Amino acid sequence: MPRSLWRDRDFGVFWGAQTLSVAGDSFALIAVPLLILNVTGSVAQMGLLTGVSGAASVVAGVFAGVLVDRFDRRTLLIVCDLVRLVLYALIPLAWMTGPHIWLLYVVLPLAEAVGMVFMVTYVTAVRNLVGEERVTDANGKLYATAAAAGILGPMLAGAVAGAFGLTAAIGINAVSFAVSAIGVYLIRIPRSTGGPAAPAVPERPWREILAGAVFLWRHPVLRVLTVLLSVFVFLTLGLTDLVIYRLKHDLGQSDSAVGVVLGIAAIGTVIGSLLVARLRRRVGFGPAWIGAQAVAGLAIVGAGFAGSVWGVAAIVALYLGCVSIAGICSMSLRQQVTPDHMLGRVTSAFWTIHFSMGPVGAAVLTWGAAHYGATPVFVLAGAGCLLIAVTALFTPVRGRYPENAAPDS
């Protein structure tokens, strides 16, 4: 029997630090779109910034895996946190002399690029911290408490924004990266000793970059998941902007109400994260992943017709719960089937491909909302997610135990 995560000191410190960091992230999640909307009055500008930032993340993803597999993962996590601390601190400092929208188009893409390196490192670090047998449980706990912090975070962000301004909320996000860096500094992240060994002779740079994509292609389940989830991100990356626009434009709500709605909706992520390990053990990977995708699609459609603040909050909570179940299942599967010396490149390749269409999708969704209204866009995005679930029924993704599937030769 593997040791309980509750008794693992290193995981406990990492868990606590990342939970506080996510609480800080929720301040920027609320404050940055509202800052754009309040200064420009344009939902299209919100989508454009989301798209540009997403594009920077995709570009960084091409090289992130090579960095993670070559360098010490603990050091990379700390450096990424410190860089983002500086970047986000620039916004409130610059705003003291007045609005500088151009600065957001510089800082946010850079922060997203560094964030991509952090997230790739984070995935490998979790597997190294807890091992393959406990990774789904660890991911569930991390997501659950992060989401719990995300419940309070948006509410506090709305209150801070209302009392002290949106830039003050962004400043709190900067401080949260310092908390994360300290937490990582206090733990030890060992390298995995199991699985195939890394090649003795380093590969050529272009082969290193492509190695992760080649592994994804050769694995029958990861290959299909990568394609389906890339379409999913195209349809959903701009949903937070869309929900904020519906609350502000269609329902006439305040900044504080937006924070409350997104905070309440995060309860769905908590519930989904706590259920995912048990659900996967009981029904298997395929039924859990496909079912979650289908219900998420229905929830997106419902968000377009919800006529009250509480209705929007409940539906978005259902959507986030399903996304957390599907996302944790997918990430845990990649962590389980990938050799440690390739985990950074495989994660990087997946997210680079996964998010490649997201920036375009975010711009398209927000452009569509500005020209045709939010409801038709919600309906089209939800229908697309339902189609993803139906398509998966005819692929190897439907299997209950894809972790036992071997890569193609």
Side-chain angles (χ1 to χ4, degrees), residues 208-232:
E208 277 197 277
I209 292 172
L210 292 177
V214 170
F215 184 90
L216 289 172
W217 178 256
R218 288 179 175 174
H219 195 285
V221 180
L222 296 184
R223 177 170 61 236
V224 178
L225 276 178
T226 302
V227 174
L228 294 181
L229 286 173
S230 298
V231 178
F232 179 79

Side-chain angles (χ1 to χ4, degrees), residues 89-170:
L90 289 175
I91 298 174
L93 291 174
W95 235 261
M96 290 179 179
T97 61
H100 299 282
I101 295 298
W102 65 268
L103 182 64
L104 298 180
Y105 283 92
V106 175
V107 168
L108 267 295
L110 287 174
E112 287 296 313
V114 176
M116 170 60 84
V117 178
F118 179 90
M119 286 307 299
V120 172
T121 314
Y122 175 96
V123 170
T124 63
V126 171
R127 210 274 292 272
N128 291 154
L129 271 174
V130 303
E132 292 180 21
E133 292 184 359
R134 300 187 295 172
V135 73
T136 301
D137 188 24
N139 287 331
K141 284 181 166 57
L142 286 163
Y143 267 69
T145 52
I151 295 171
L152 183 60
M155 295 180 184
L156 290 176
V160 169
F164 304 104
L166 294 167
T167 55
I170 295 173

Side-chain angles (χ1 to χ4, degrees), residues 34-367:
L34 287 175
L35 201 61
I36 289 283
L37 189 62
N38 289 352
V39 173
T40 68
S42 170
V43 67
Q45 285 274 9
M46 292 168 64
L48 180 61
L49 181 59
T50 300
V52 171
S53 301
S57 180
V58 169
V59 172
V62 174
F63 308 100
V66 176
L67 292 175
V68 172
D69 287 338
R70 280 190 176 186
F71 297 104
D72 180 70
R73 292 168 181 175
R74 176 172 168 272
T75 302
L76 277 177
L77 288 173
I78 294 171
V79 170
C80 288
D81 276 331
L82 294 179
V83 171
R84 288 186 293 174
L85 162 64
V86 172
L87 288 173
Y88 276 100
L90 289 175
I91 298 174
L93 291 174
W95 235 261
M96 290 179 179
T97 61
H100 299 282
I101 295 298
W102 65 268
L103 182 64
L104 298 180
Y105 283 92
V106 175
V107 168
L108 267 295
L110 287 174
E112 287 296 313
V114 176
M116 170 60 84
V117 178
F118 179 90
M119 286 307 299
V120 172
T121 314
Y122 175 96
V123 170
T124 63
V126 171
R127 210 274 292 272
N128 291 154
L129 271 174
V130 303
E132 292 180 21
E133 292 184 359
R134 300 187 295 172
V135 73
T136 301
D137 188 24
N139 287 331
K141 284 181 166 57
L142 286 163
Y143 267 69
T145 52
I151 295 171
L152 183 60
M155 295 180 184
L156 290 176
V160 169
F164 304 104
L166 294 167
T167 55
I170 295 173
I172 291 176
N173 184 45
V175 174
S176 74
F177 291 119
V179 173
S180 175
I182 292 170
V184 175
Y185 178 78
L186 294 174
I187 66 172
R188 184 179 64 89
I189 302 177
R191 284 276 187 165
S192 173
T193 56
V201 180
E203 299 174 295
R204 294 180 180 179
W206 66 271
R207 290 181 66 89
E208 277 197 277
I209 292 172
L210 292 177
V214 170
F215 184 90
L216 289 172
W217 178 256
R218 288 179 175 174
H219 195 285
V221 180
L222 296 184
R223 177 170 61 236
V224 178
L225 276 178
T226 302
V227 174
L228 294 181
L229 286 173
S230 298
V231 178
F232 179 79
V233 167
F234 175 86
L235 295 169
T236 61
L237 186 62
L239 277 183
T240 298
D241 291 342
L242 209 58
V243 169
I244 292 174
Y245 179 69
R246 178 158 176 75
L247 289 169
K248 293 281 290 181
H249 182 268
D250 296 353
L251 302 181
Q253 298 299 311
S254 65
D255 292 354
S256 296
V258 172
V260 170
V261 167
L262 293 183
I264 292 173
I267 293 173
T269 304
V270 176
I271 295 173
S273 300
L274 292 174
L275 291 177
V276 64
R278 183 179 303 174
L279 182 65
R280 184 178 172 185
R281 283 194 298 267
R282 177 165 297 183
V283 304
F285 176 89
W289 191 89
I290 294 172
Q293 288 287 341
V295 177
L298 292 172
I300 294 172
V301 173
F305 296 98
S308 69
V309 168
W310 300 112
V312 173
I315 290 173
V316 177
L318 176 62
Y319 164 76
L320 291 176
C322 293
V323 169
S324 67
I325 290 172
I328 292 171
C329 282
S330 172
M331 182 169 66
S332 300
L333 179 65
R334 291 195 310 276
Q335 290 168 314
Q336 289 173 315
V337 302
T338 306
D340 185 70
H341 72 275
M342 289 188 62
L343 187 54
R345 282 168 290 172
V346 170
T347 302
S348 176
F350 173 79
W351 278 346
T352 300
I353 298 167
H354 180 47
F355 286 112
S356 60
M357 296 194 297
V360 178
V364 169
L365 258 65
T366 50
W367 178 88

